[in-house]
């Protein structure tokens, strides 16, 4: 998809040739009944007749009107322009025209269009018109190729937002593509190839390690998960260098379980197919790197992906086995289905060598997080309040939201083992928190955050498919960091008290 921006009044926008014109109209802008442009007059009449309300998500449609170049005209209300309202307005409007073959769409934002609003409108349009086709024998390719954006005032920051939207969409769609692919079309080897091709630009380096190198590094936890699989593991290291080498990088670590059967602690059959999505964290890291390559912000970012299947086998790791992680800590594997934390803990130890300013891991880690937060917000755990706040704010701004969860040390009691330094599972209680407490043991040397995307990385049921989350959140965080590197998270570790773990500060910043 290709986006273009122009400064136009609504009266001019109706003359732009396209298959459809979508006008995004905030509640606060009342249409003038005697306005110059026909759209304002129709909206005014529809409101007067009680047929249309300026309420978020309301859509007014017209077809083949004189004085309007596109054959479809849609007016969708964006309420007070909150991220979720812009998204639902765009999705509702697209629903009304998706049966038509829309190739060119003209998108007009009424009023003072904020750059963030433009970004959200474009990414929502891409989301609405996306469909997965790779493994279909007769794919119906997406018709929407071009979006012409217009606003009444086109500031440089709006132009910048369009560029960011273009890169964001490319990143989100790469993440969706690879998460949606069945596990036999998305092996660890395939993921490494994707990383190599994403990294083929100048500002990138990409290194791929195999079983031998990983064994040499002493990644005993990662190896234990991989030992039951016929597909060889891959450890992917991507480096984007947009700033001086002296600037400490942000490290992103993505869980890359290309299929999670549970191993010997095997999962039930129902919905097990969805465990092809267990590399959603890895897909989001690939997506972020795709976007970084297009935007080239002044920042250094490292991407780490431990990729493997989790399979039952004669050689597979067994419940009760004790392994030694790269950190030297021994782990009693009480449940082989808690494999995500095992591959991540070694990647976190590996991250130390980059002397990072922050490390963020992204993982479809626990069913318990789905129970806690559902499909709306990603679970955020962090040992660093400044980093947590930046991620919360990036979530609110991008509409790719998260919610901070606690890390009290008392939760770690559940992980006590008689046979190793730590067990890989606690009980059923607070399963998302105990998983994070496990990871925290391997993240004491840097500011660290963990995003549990088990509920948000894909949708189940009729609309089954990857969401591309949290590429939006991460890209927003990184772009802000590139603009104001002084605001980086502190390197010193801070203790988190439950009082600090409330998102009150995030809400304050958002309203300011
Ligand atoms: N990949 C799963 C987590 C998951 C389950 C994500 C369902 C989305 C939907 C993870 O590897 C896992 O199996 N976790 C276990 C941990 C348990 C054994 C402590 C879980 O959540 O059941
Ligand atoms: Mn599992
Ligand atoms: Zn898993």
């Amino acid at each position: 998809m290709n986006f273009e921006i122009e400064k136009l009044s609504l009266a001019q926008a109706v003359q732009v040739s396209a298959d459809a014109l979508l006008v995004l109209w905030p509640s606060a802008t009342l249409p003038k009944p005697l306005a110059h442009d026909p759209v304002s007059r129709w909206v005014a009449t529809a409101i007067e007749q009680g047929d249309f309300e300026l309420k978020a998500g309301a859509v007014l449609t017209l077809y083949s009107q004189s004085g309007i170049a596109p054959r479809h005209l849609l007016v969708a209300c964006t309420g007070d322009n909150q991220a979720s309202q812009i998204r639902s307005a765009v999705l509702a409007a697209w629903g009304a025209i998706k049966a038509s073959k829309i190739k060119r769409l003209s998108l007009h934002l009424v009023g003072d269009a904020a750059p963030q609003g433009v970004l959200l409108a474009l990414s929502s349009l891409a989301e609405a018109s996306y469909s997965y086709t790779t493994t279909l024998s007769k794919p119906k390719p997406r018709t929407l190729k071009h979006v012409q954006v217009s606003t009444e005032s086109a500031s440089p920051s709006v132009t910048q937002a369009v560029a960011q939207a273009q890169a964001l969409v490319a990143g989100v769609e790469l993440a969706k593509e690879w998460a949606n692919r069945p596990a036999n079309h998305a092996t660890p080897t395939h993921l490494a190839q994707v990383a190599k091709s994403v990294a083929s630009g100048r500002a990138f380096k990409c290194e791929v390690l195999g079983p031998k190198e990983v064994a040499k590094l002493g990644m005993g936890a990662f190896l234990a998960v991989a030992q039951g699989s016929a597909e060889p593991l891959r450890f992917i290291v991507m480096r984007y260098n947009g700033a001086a080498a002296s600037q400490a990088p942000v490290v992103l670590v993505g869980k890359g379980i290309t299929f999670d059967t549970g191993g010997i602690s095997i999962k039930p059959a129902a919905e097990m197919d969805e465990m092809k999505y267990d590399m959603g964290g890895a897909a989001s890291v690939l997506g972020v790197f795709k976007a970084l390559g297009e935007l080239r912000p002044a920042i250094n970012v490292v991407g780490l992906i431990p990729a493997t299947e989790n399979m039952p086998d004669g050689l597979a790791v067994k419940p009760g086995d004790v392994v030694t992680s790269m950190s030297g800590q021994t782990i009693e594997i009480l449940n082989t289905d808690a494999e995500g934390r095992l591959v991540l803990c070694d990647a976190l130890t590996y991250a130390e060598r980059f002397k990072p300013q922050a490390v963020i891991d992204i993982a479809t880690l626990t069913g318990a997080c789905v129970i806690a937060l559902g499909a709306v917000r990603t679970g955020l755990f962090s040992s660093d309040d400044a980093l947590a706040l930046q991620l919360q704010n990036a979530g609110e701004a991008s509409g790719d939201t998260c919610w901070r969860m606690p890390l009290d040390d008392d939760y770690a009691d559940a992980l006590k083992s008689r046979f190793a330094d730590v067990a890989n599972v606690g009980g059923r209680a607070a399963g998302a928190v105990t998983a994070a407490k496990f990871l925290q043991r391997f993240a004491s040397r840097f500011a660290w955050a963990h995003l549990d995307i088990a509920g948000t990385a894909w949708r189940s049921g009729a609309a089954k498919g990857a969401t591309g989350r949290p590429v939006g959140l991460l890209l927003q965080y990184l772009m802000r960091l590139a603009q104001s590197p002084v605001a980086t998270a502190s390197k010193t570790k801070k203790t988190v008290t439950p009082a600090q773990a409330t998102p009150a500060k995030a809400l304050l910043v958002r309203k300011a």
Side-chain angles (χ1 to χ4, degrees):
M1 263 174 120
N2 158 32
F3 304 146
E4 238 178 294
I5 174 88
E6 225 179 332
K7 175 180 178 298
L8 295 176
S9 66
L10 184 49
Q12 292 169 312
V14 299
Q15 304 303 332
V16 173
S17 88
D19 299 305
L21 167 61
L22 169 55
V23 180
L24 294 183
W25 202 301
S27 296
T29 309
L30 295 176
K32 298 187 187 80
L34 302 172
H36 219 57
D37 69 278
V39 181
S40 297
R41 293 199 301 268
W42 283 321
V43 172
T45 310
I47 293 173
E48 208 179 273
Q49 295 294 319
D51 291 330
F52 185 61
E53 256 185 292
L54 281 178
K55 265 175 64 181
V59 181
L60 181 67
T61 61
L62 287 166
Y63 189 76
S64 200
Q65 295 295 312
S66 68
I68 307 240
R71 56 184 201 282
H72 294 275
L73 169 70
L74 302 106
V75 179
C77 178
T78 56
D80 41 20
N81 281 343
Q82 285 172 28
S84 60
Q85 293 173 319
I86 292 174
R87 179 174 174 271
S88 51
V90 170
L91 294 191
W94 183 261
I97 49 168
K98 68 173 177 218
S100 317
K101 287 195 172 57
I102 308 292
K103 287 188 199 129
R104 287 179 67 88
L105 186 134
S106 160
L107 177 73
H108 183 79
L109 288 93
V110 169
D112 286 331
Q116 201 63 25
V118 173
L119 178 89
L120 285 160
L122 286 172
S123 58
S124 304
L125 207 48
E127 179 190 344
S129 60
Y130 171 87
S131 70
Y132 169 84
T133 59
T134 308
T135 42
L136 301 178
S137 71
K138 293 181 190 72
K140 280 198 211 87
R142 147 200 257 167
T143 55
L144 184 61
K145 292 275 149 54
H146 186 82
V147 182
Q148 179 70 49
V149 192
S150 62
T151 57
E152 275 146 64
S153 60
S155 63
S157 56
V158 168
T159 312
Q160 162 69 28
V162 173
Q164 191 168 326
Q166 185 93 59
L168 171 67
V169 167
V172 164
E173 293 192 354
L174 184 89
K176 284 186 180 180
E177 169 67 20
W178 283 94
N180 278 329
R181 284 199 193 197
N184 64 329
H185 293 259
T187 62
T189 307
H190 287 130
L191 294 190
Q193 283 162 359
V194 180
K196 288 248 180 209
S197 73
V198 166
S200 59
R202 258 180 310 126
F204 275 108
K205 288 190 190 104
C206 177
E207 201 188 341
V208 178
L209 311 186
K212 274 193 200 129
E213 291 106 323
V214 165
K216 217 169 147 200
L217 284 165
M219 293 184 165
F222 180 19
L223 283 168
V225 176
Q227 76 190 39
S229 172
E231 280 292 336
L233 68 79
R234 291 289 180 264
F235 188 70
I236 305 167
V237 183
M238 305 174 80
R239 302 198 64 169
Y240 165 78
N241 297 316
S246 57
Q247 194 176 310
V250 171
V251 179
L252 304 178
V253 182
K255 172 177 171 182
I257 301 295
T258 59
F259 196 81
D260 182 11
T261 65
I264 297 299
S265 314
I266 199 161
K267 287 181 180 294
E271 279 128 47
M272 206 209 272
D273 65 288
E274 295 190 8
M275 284 298 116
K276 71 175 183 179
Y277 290 116
D278 213 16
M279 36 59 76
S284 75
V285 173
L286 293 170
V288 167
F289 272 75
K290 171 85 182 167
L292 290 175
E294 296 198 2
L295 289 168
R296 304 197 167 244
I299 187 175
N300 295 329
V301 187
V302 175
L304 302 177
I305 298 174
T308 178
E309 292 179 339
N310 183 26
M311 299 291 283
D313 181 75
L315 293 172
V317 72
K318 301 168 291 298
D321 283 2
V322 172
V323 299
T324 304
S325 66
M326 186 180 176
S327 72
Q329 297 177 71
T330 60
I331 303 165
E332 185 184 17
I333 301 179
L334 287 174
N335 189 320
T336 65
D337 198 10
E339 84 298 339
R341 61 198 79 180
L342 296 174
V343 305
L344 291 170
C345 72
D346 281 339
L348 288 170
T349 302
Y350 188 87
E352 286 174 10
R353 68 182 56 200
F354 300 105
K355 301 192 171 48
Q357 57 168 296
V359 177
I360 304 163
D361 75 70
I362 308 106
T364 49
L365 201 64
T366 64
C369 194
V370 189
I371 302 299
L373 297 174
V376 181
R377 284 179 187 258
T378 292
L380 163 67
F381 300 82
S382 183
S383 55
D384 186 288
D385 291 334
L387 176 60
L389 193 57
Q390 287 170 14
L391 291 169
Q392 282 174 305
N393 289 339
E396 299 303 325
S398 61
D400 188 354
T401 54
C402 60
W403 193 259
R404 192 161 180 195
M405 303 280 276
L407 279 173
D408 302 68
D409 275 336
D410 286 347
Y411 286 110
D413 290 350
L415 298 171
K416 283 192 176 134
S417 163
R418 269 167 49 71
F419 301 98
D421 299 345
V422 65
N424 79 326
V425 288
R428 273 164 49 85
V433 187
T434 54
K437 288 306 285 181
F438 179 92
L439 294 176
Q440 193 182 13
R441 298 175 63 98
F442 302 86
S444 58
R445 303 225 164 107
F446 37 69
W448 163 76
H450 157 59
L451 293 169
D452 193 332
I453 56 168
T456 53
W458 78 90
R459 271 184 286 273
S460 311
K464 191 186 288 181
T467 61
R469 290 176 69 179
V471 174
L473 182 159
L474 293 168
L475 193 63
Q476 183 74 29
Y477 160 76
L478 292 171
M479 292 305 285
R480 283 192 180 171
L481 209 55
Q483 276 150 24
S484 54
V486 268
T488 57
S490 57
K491 278 175 223 167
T492 47
K493 235 196 88 191
K494 286 180 204 146
T495 47
V496 183
T497 65
Q500 288 171 313
T502 65
K505 279 194 281 180
L507 297 177
L508 265 175
V509 170
R510 182 153 55 110
K511 283 194 183 127

